[in-house]
Amino acid sequence: MPAKKKTAAKKKVTKKKTVAKKTVAKKTTTKKKVAAKKTAAKKKVAKKKAAPKKRIPSNITQEFKQFVPYKIKKGEEYMNEAQIEHFHHILNSWKMELMQEVDKTVHHMQDEAANFPDPNDRASQESDFTMELRTRDRERKLIKKIDGSISNLDSGEYGYCEECGIEIGIRRLEARPTADLCIDCKSLSEIREKSMS
């Protein structure tokens, strides 16, 4: 009897050890799988963060982006009547849209102005109004630049670099109609600004 008990006890101990080993092995593989999933998730997040965001300048409005690009013909003179008319259209429509935005802001601020009893609501409204006014101030400055570009168009100076006098180029002007420097002079200007700061 004692030998049978010893054998049965050994079998139970062996079974418990085997079950314990299997449990440890399962836990280890589970931990490895979880760690692998976390690493994969981190890599995905890193890839998403690394992808550059497409940035649309805030001062270019929706209507301005919808203009039809000018089709350049072979042998065509730079800043001829058709091109001048094209840029007149772009600048005037851009200016009109900015002015409409200013009007909308004034009406919005008049309609939304309320004396909230809660200080947090008042602070939130003040913050929103401040942001809107800051944006409109930038647009006001942009309208001045647009007016300057329109007067340059009328005087025949539009489309030429203010520093070196060469042609700025149709595509650059379509991308930034208020540009007054060619791409080379603008790059040099930016390099100078960076070195000074």
Side-chain angles (χ1 to χ4, degrees):
M1 282 282 221
K4 284 185 180 179
K5 282 186 182 179
K6 282 184 182 178
T7 316
K10 279 185 181 179
K11 285 182 182 177
K12 283 183 183 179
V13 170
T14 311
K15 280 185 181 179
K16 284 183 182 178
K17 284 183 181 176
T18 318
V19 170
K21 284 182 184 176
K22 286 181 182 177
T23 308
V24 170
K26 283 183 182 179
K27 286 181 182 177
T28 318
T29 54
T30 308
K31 285 181 181 177
K32 286 180 182 176
K33 286 179 183 178
V34 169
K37 286 181 182 179
K38 286 182 181 177
T39 308
K42 286 180 183 177
K43 286 181 182 177
K44 284 182 182 178
V45 169
K47 283 182 183 178
K48 286 181 182 178
K49 287 181 182 177
K53 293 181 180 179
K54 292 182 180 179
R55 189 174 156 261
I56 298 172
S58 61
N59 60 356
I60 298 181
T61 56
Q62 198 64 29
E63 187 175 311
F64 173 67
K65 287 188 270 179
Q66 293 178 357
F67 74 92
V68 179
Y70 183 80
K71 292 180 182 173
I72 303 170
K73 298 167 188 123
K74 285 186 178 180
E76 186 176 28
E77 185 182 327
Y78 183 69
M79 280 299 138
N80 59 28
E81 288 297 319
Q83 292 174 359
I84 290 171
E85 185 62 35
H86 175 70
F87 286 109
H88 256 295
H89 172 70
I90 289 174
L91 290 165
N92 285 323
S93 61
W94 193 12
K95 181 181 173 182
M96 289 299 294
E97 185 161 330
L98 289 171
M99 292 176 84
Q100 287 172 357
E101 288 295 319
V102 169
D103 291 341
K104 283 180 191 175
T105 300
V106 171
H107 294 303
H108 170 71
M109 290 178 81
Q110 287 172 346
D111 294 343
E112 294 293 319
N115 193 7
F116 293 109
D118 184 24
N120 291 328
D121 291 339
R122 280 198 305 269
S124 177
Q125 183 185 42
E126 285 294 319
S127 173
D128 292 345
F129 284 175
T130 303
M131 288 290 287
E132 274 190 59
L133 289 172
R134 213 177 288 157
T135 304
R136 295 305 157 239
D137 187 49
R138 279 197 302 268
E139 288 176 350
R140 182 183 53 80
K141 290 175 184 173
L142 182 58
I143 288 172
K144 281 185 180 178
K145 285 186 87 173
I146 291 171
D147 286 337
S149 296
I150 290 171
S151 66
N152 284 346
L153 255 175
D154 295 336
S155 67
E157 296 173 16
Y158 183 78
Y160 297 95
C161 180
E162 287 183 355
E163 284 189 21
C164 64
I166 66 165
E167 299 172 356
I168 293 176
I170 301 295
R171 297 299 169 231
R172 174 161 164 71
L173 288 170
E174 283 180 337
R176 180 157 296 283
T178 56
D180 51 7
L181 297 174
C182 66
I183 195 73
D184 294 332
C185 292
K186 183 65 177 172
S187 300
L188 287 172
S189 169
E190 288 174 357
I191 290 169
R192 272 186 242 126
E193 284 177 21
K194 284 180 185 175
S195 65
M196 287 180 172
S197 57

